[in-house]
Amino acid sequence: MASNPIVNMFKVKELRERVFFTLIVLAVFRLGSVLTIPGINPQALTAYFDTVTRGNAFVDYMDFFAGGAFSNFSVFMLGVMPYISTQIIMQLALIIFPSLKRIAQEDGGQRRVQMWTRVGTVFVCLIQSLAVTVYAGSIPGAIVIDSQVLFKIIAMITVTTGTMVTIWLGEQITERGIGNGISMLIFAGIVARLPSALYELGSMVSSGEINPVFVIVVLIMFIAIIALVVYEQQGQRKIPVHYAKRVVGRRIYGGQPNQYIPFKINPSGVIPVIFASSFLTFPLQIASSLGPNVRWLNGLATFLRPTGIWYNILLVLLIVFFAYFYTQVTLNPTEIAKNIRENGGSIPGIRTDKTEEYMQKVLNRLVLPGSLYLAVIAVLPTIIQHLFGFPPSISMIMGGTSLLILVGVDLDTMSQVEALLKMHHHDGLVRKGKLRSRNL
């Protein structure tokens, strides 16, 4: 009788400890998402967001990534988005400035870049938290501290500290838990929104605001998109590589048959979507928070509203850009071709001096359709909202970025669990003992 993979997970001590550690950290993260920052009246927030700004696109968008922490004005209200924004800026800087790239390639260079990223994150948090204090001032009865200056100082320090703690929690999950920590925190925030979104959907169907037929149609779309996302995330293009035999001492290296380099259909995974969303979040928050007091910022906030056409056009362009950008950083064709040549390898039918050009051509053919596929799924919430009348809080959960992140993080986590089970001589999570990839 085949053993139960779930039972096997808890039989392996290392895996069991990692799973429990991850759950504990996620529980701490969720607790911090409901702890209101000092000087804020929670009752005033509840009344304001339930009545005055119900369905506010900006608030729904921020809550989507922070798991409701933004509307709670909690210590974790900014989530990990400032850190991701700073990472994007740093990666772009490494490409634009060769001196920075040389520093990063030195011994200990990555630690220095990581330190600069953290310092930059603090500055980004301070700017965003200042915008938050301005936004809080527009909510009647929200601030209970008489001194505006004192409130701003307390709020900025609290929110900035909360974001840095959130980043530390994510790193602890990566090191001692299961999955990529930062992605897991975003995953947890999205999952935390599911119960309230489903309850709101049920209420709207009961009251007749949404046709039940539309719900069924969207549900079928939801299931079909999940299947397509899984297929796309698992698909691979295998590049065959032949290595010549080399004699080193008494050993023979190379000459192994069936060697290949696997390239995914979408090499960058959900990273372009997270990067693009984070890149747009920063100006969106500043413009929305300060907009009522500054005319041009108010216009920018309207221009960048998440349900608007221009926001979605920018989102598509940024997803395509970051797909190419991230792929070039992680799968550099020059480095791959160099490694193949140095190890005496060659691609059948391709001249050795044309290896880099061939690799670049293959990656371009994979990245473009893969990025466009991501972009189409990312704009689905807006389509669902306009076609079927779904509110943003529901449409964002049932399509687009949320699906990509949920499926991508789930597959990545399952792969890690699978590897740990195999390492301890247990069956995997799926019937045949491994997560299969689609070969193209």
Side-chain angles (χ1 to χ4, degrees), residues 241-247 252-256 340 343-346:
V241 180
H242 289 174
Y243 291 96
K245 291 182 179 180
R246 294 180 300 158
V247 179
I252 299 177
Y253 295 89
Q256 300 95 336
I340 292 175
N343 289 280
S346 63

Side-chain angles (χ1 to χ4, degrees), residues 134-197:
V134 176
Y135 185 70
S138 65
I139 301 176
I143 302 175
V144 296
I145 297 178
D146 294 333
S147 173
Q148 291 292 320
V149 175
L150 179 61
F151 169 74
K152 287 184 178 181
I153 293 174
I154 292 174
M156 290 172 67
I157 293 175
T158 303
V159 172
T160 300
T161 303
T163 296
M164 300 310 294
V165 170
T166 304
I167 295 167
W168 179 80
L169 291 175
E171 291 175 346
Q172 294 306 302
I173 291 177
T174 302
E175 182 180 347
R176 302 167 57 189
I178 289 290
N180 179 281
I182 300 298
S183 298
M184 286 294 289
L185 294 179
I186 299 175
F187 177 91
I190 296 173
V191 171
R193 299 283 290 168
L194 280 173
S196 60

Side-chain angles (χ1 to χ4, degrees), residues 326-360:
Y326 191 78
T327 301
Q328 289 296 321
V329 171
T330 56
L331 295 174
N332 190 324
T334 303
E335 293 296 328
I336 296 174
K338 180 181 176 182
N339 290 334
I340 292 175
R341 287 194 298 268
E342 289 179 349
N343 289 280
S346 63
I347 300 174
I350 305 298
R351 286 169 44 186
T352 305
D353 60 339
K354 296 290 184 180
T355 303
E356 179 182 344
E357 181 181 338
Y358 175 74
M359 288 289 184
Q360 185 66 64

Side-chain angles (χ1 to χ4, degrees), residues 30 44 89 139 150 165 172 180 240 268 317 329 380 388 418:
R30 291 308 305 156
I89 295 171
I139 301 176
L150 179 61
V165 170
Q172 294 306 302
N180 179 281
S268 52
L317 294 176
V329 171
L380 267 179
F388 304 109
E418 182 93 359

